[in-house]
Amino acid sequence: MKIIEKGKTIYTSAILSLLNDAEGYIENIERTWRGDIPITGISLDAIPWFGQFSLSLRTSSDYPRNGLRYDSADWEHYDFVSSSTNPKVKEALEYMKYMYGDESRDKADSSHLHFIACAKALLDTSVASKLGSLGIKAPEVSDLPIKSSFEYVVTDPDSTISGNYCDFIVSNRVLSRIRNA
């Protein structure tokens, strides 16, 4: 769908801009004794009804140790880019508002389309590449199951559809590959 692909493009650009803005913040995250950044996941918290478009980082002390797998608001590095005034984020917020405010669809359907676009954006290989350049061991995701403990997370805080939208996208990619084999 064109609306999803346009959202993915706008959201990917905003994510990359936020990560660029946060380079200093990420450099200052305490390292493990091996010198690694202990990040086990990234969440895109893009909530149209709150006007929020932000990123959160999950550490190994958030999950698995504390069991906060998808509870990004409880992560140590929740919304670590909250002070951003980046124009790409403004563009993402405007598109989010447009998608969610489209009266031709039910709000639940609009939310679903929005979260799919968010998940596709977060899973874009350019995001994994940027995270890698910042020292975060984030795998590139294709049409194969992820073989890493690192997770990309997009959830619906209202739980209209429960689960991680990034997992849905990966599952659909795997299914598509298998169907075409």
Side-chain angles (χ1 to χ4, degrees):
M1 295 184 85
K2 290 179 185 178
I3 194 166
I4 291 174
E5 290 309 311
K6 184 173 181 180
K8 175 196 180 270
T9 300
I10 292 169
Y11 298 161
T12 301
S13 181
I15 292 165
L16 293 172
S17 292
L18 284 171
L19 289 171
N20 281 329
D21 292 349
E23 285 182 9
Y25 180 91
I26 292 170
E27 284 176 12
N28 289 318
I29 294 175
E30 188 176 339
R31 305 295 198 263
T32 66
W33 62 272
R34 284 183 260 159
D36 297 329
I37 299 176
I39 300 299
T40 63
I42 185 169
S43 176
L44 173 57
D45 304 304
I47 308 168
W49 50 92
F50 290 147
Q52 179 185 7
F53 189 94
S54 66
L55 296 173
S56 299
L57 295 172
R58 185 182 70 197
T59 66
S60 55
S61 62
D62 295 322
Y63 181 80
R65 208 169 307 144
N66 285 336
L68 300 172
R69 186 173 186 180
Y70 298 143
D71 302 325
S72 62
D74 293 325
W75 296 350
E76 179 181 351
H77 300 287
Y78 171 70
D79 193 9
F80 65 94
V81 291
S82 63
S83 62
S84 177
T85 57
N86 193 298
K88 294 292 185 181
V89 173
K90 183 177 180 187
E91 183 182 359
L93 287 166
E94 288 171 4
Y95 192 73
M96 208 169 59
K97 184 178 178 181
Y98 161 76
M99 279 184 79
Y100 189 66
D102 186 342
E103 297 294 328
S104 69
R105 282 186 302 277
D106 179 78
K107 289 288 185 216
D109 290 344
S110 291
S111 294
H112 186 61
L113 293 172
H114 162 71
F115 292 125
I116 289 170
C118 288
K120 285 185 170 212
L122 195 60
L123 291 170
D124 192 90
T125 57
S126 63
V127 174
S129 179
K130 180 61 184 175
L131 289 168
S133 76
L134 296 171
I136 297 172
K137 294 178 182 176
E140 285 191 11
V141 179
S142 64
D143 60 354
L144 297 170
I146 300 172
K147 295 182 178 174
S148 169
S149 59
F150 186 91
E151 288 185 287
Y152 296 91
V153 179
V154 172
T155 59
D156 176 353
D158 282 351
S159 297
T160 303
I161 294 186
S162 221
N164 180 359
Y165 275 84
C166 294
D167 290 343
F168 303 155
I169 298 299
V170 173
S171 294
N172 282 327
R173 288 179 183 176
V174 171
L175 181 60
S176 180
R177 178 182 51 81
I178 293 169
R179 278 190 188 149
N180 295 325

